[in-house]
Amino acid sequence: MNVLVNLISVPADIWVYFAIDVGIAILLLAALRWISGRLSSVDTNEELCTQDNFAFGISIAGRMFALCVVLAAAVAGSTKTDYYIAAVSMLAYGLVGLVLIKVGRVLHDKLILDRLDKEAQIMDRNSSVAIIDAASAISTAIIIHSVMLWVEGTDTNALIAVCTSFIVTQAILLVTTRFYERQYRANNQGTMQKALTEGQLALALQQAGMIVGTSIVVSTSAKLLIYNPEAYVSNFTGWLVTGAWLAVLLAILVMVLKKLVLSGLNLVQEVDQQHNVGVACIEMALSVGIAFMVSGLIA
């Protein structure tokens, strides 16, 4: 008689690792929520439920999802070690993820979105800025996840590689954002950041797709580069060069695809001027979808 379900071999103690990983994840997610409230000088329950600040919820949701993405990389290799090392690795990468997500938000606020106060906008219920904030946290986490699977172990060299990829991510996001800002300014009166402060939701969705899509293709660099624990310079330049090349490739592919798939539509008029959320969602889907295709091809 044929077997109805063919399963791969699963470790007998998989549930022990599962309990360890989920327990640490719950602890870190709770810590993230508490830290978010403390840094914003608000009570999260008050802001989310009583004040119904949707922007604040979107921002925290983005950070929580980003932390889960980082922890997923630690979970992937946890069953290959004993319980103690699995717990230490999960906790170490979780704490590193928490710190880098926070540092990334600060850098995104001070360097990339340097003409607006992101925290103040979120507390003022600006969902458009909150969407960009969530997308930037998720994009950083996607890169960190890829690097954690690329490196070997949880030693100092591995942590340096993770921090290196973080720097590369911020640099590429800075350059790509400036490019799209210049493009927006050429087609419209005013700046992209000013439009975001005015609550331009369609623009936020369009840019969020660009940010996440870029991080997906940049993370594919892990499939092209050989990890050398002590080659700090080559690891950095490798991620920077391949990441920049893949980001440019994505931008070109998305531009061509939009002209073909969305032919007959004036995207500048629809998204930038008429705030057409539907068209912006299609653009976001194309950016992320093509990024997954490029990533899958290289993988």
Side-chain angles (χ1 to χ4, degrees):
M1 180 178 178
N2 293 330
V3 178
L4 296 179
V5 180
N6 291 309
L7 298 176
I8 64 172
S9 177
V10 179
D13 56 353
I14 187 69
W15 295 109
V16 178
Y17 289 103
F18 179 77
I20 293 172
D21 293 338
V22 171
I24 294 176
I26 292 173
L27 176 65
L28 291 172
L29 288 169
L32 174 61
R33 177 185 170 183
W34 180 80
I35 292 172
S36 298
R38 296 290 295 178
L39 293 176
S40 300
S41 300
V42 297
D43 182 283
T44 55
N45 289 342
E46 174 76 15
E47 198 68 24
L48 291 171
C49 300
T50 305
Q51 300 297 327
D52 292 335
N53 190 340
F54 302 149
F56 186 71
I58 292 171
S59 177
I60 291 185
R63 279 173 271 174
M64 285 187 171
F65 184 78
L67 181 58
C68 289
V69 171
V70 172
L71 293 177
V75 170
S78 64
T79 57
K80 300 177 183 178
T81 58
D82 59 45
Y83 301 147
Y84 174 76
I85 296 178
V88 170
S89 175
M90 182 77 170
L91 186 60
Y93 275 134
L95 292 175
V96 170
L98 269 175
V99 172
L100 291 182
I101 289 170
K102 175 56 184 176
V103 173
R105 292 187 71 247
V106 172
L107 292 177
H108 194 262
D109 192 12
K110 303 301 181 183
L111 295 178
I112 300 178
L113 297 182
D114 57 326
R115 298 182 181 179
L116 58 86
D117 188 337
K118 187 166 60 178
E119 289 292 344
Q121 289 290 325
I122 291 174
M123 297 311 298
D124 198 33
R125 304 169 182 268
N126 191 326
S127 296
S128 298
V129 174
I131 288 173
I132 297 294
D133 180 51
S136 68
I138 293 170
S139 66
T140 299
I142 290 172
I143 303 294
I144 296 173
H145 173 96
S146 179
V147 178
M148 285 182 176
L149 296 178
W150 180 61
V151 301
E152 300 171 1
T154 56
D155 57 8
T156 304
N157 291 328
L159 293 177
I160 291 175
V162 171
C163 293
T164 296
S165 70
F166 169 78
I167 296 173
V168 169
T169 305
Q170 301 307 308
I172 292 177
L173 288 179
L174 174 61
V175 173
T176 52
T177 300
R178 291 291 176 266
F179 170 77
Y180 284 105
E181 280 185 322
R182 182 175 180 180
Q183 192 177 47
Y184 181 89
R185 191 165 52 249
N187 296 323
N188 302 273
Q189 294 181 347
T191 65
M192 189 175 74
Q193 293 190 39
K194 185 175 185 298
L196 290 173
T197 61
E198 294 172 351
Q200 224 279 43
L201 182 60
L203 178 63
L205 292 171
Q206 179 194 64
Q207 293 304 305
M210 177 275 295
I211 293 172
V212 175
T214 300
S215 68
I216 291 172
V217 295
V218 171
S219 68
T220 312
S221 298
K223 305 296 183 181
L224 300 172
L225 299 172
I226 298 174
Y227 173 61
N228 189 336
E230 299 180 355
Y232 305 135
V233 175
S234 63
N235 286 341
F236 176 80
T237 55
W239 273 88
L240 184 60
V241 172
T242 57
W245 178 80
L246 289 168
V248 171
L249 176 62
L250 175 68
I252 294 173
L253 289 175
V254 170
M255 180 178 64
V256 172
L257 194 65
K258 285 179 181 179
K259 289 185 177 298
L260 294 176
V261 177
L262 300 177
S263 61
L265 293 179
N266 187 330
L267 298 181
V268 172
Q269 182 179 7
E270 292 295 332
V271 176
D272 298 348
Q273 299 168 13
Q274 296 184 6
H275 307 175
N276 191 322
V277 173
V279 173
C281 286
I282 294 175
E283 288 197 65
M284 178 175 65
L286 290 176
S287 297
V288 177
I290 291 298
F292 272 119
M293 289 180 63
V294 173
S295 178
L297 175 63
I298 295 176

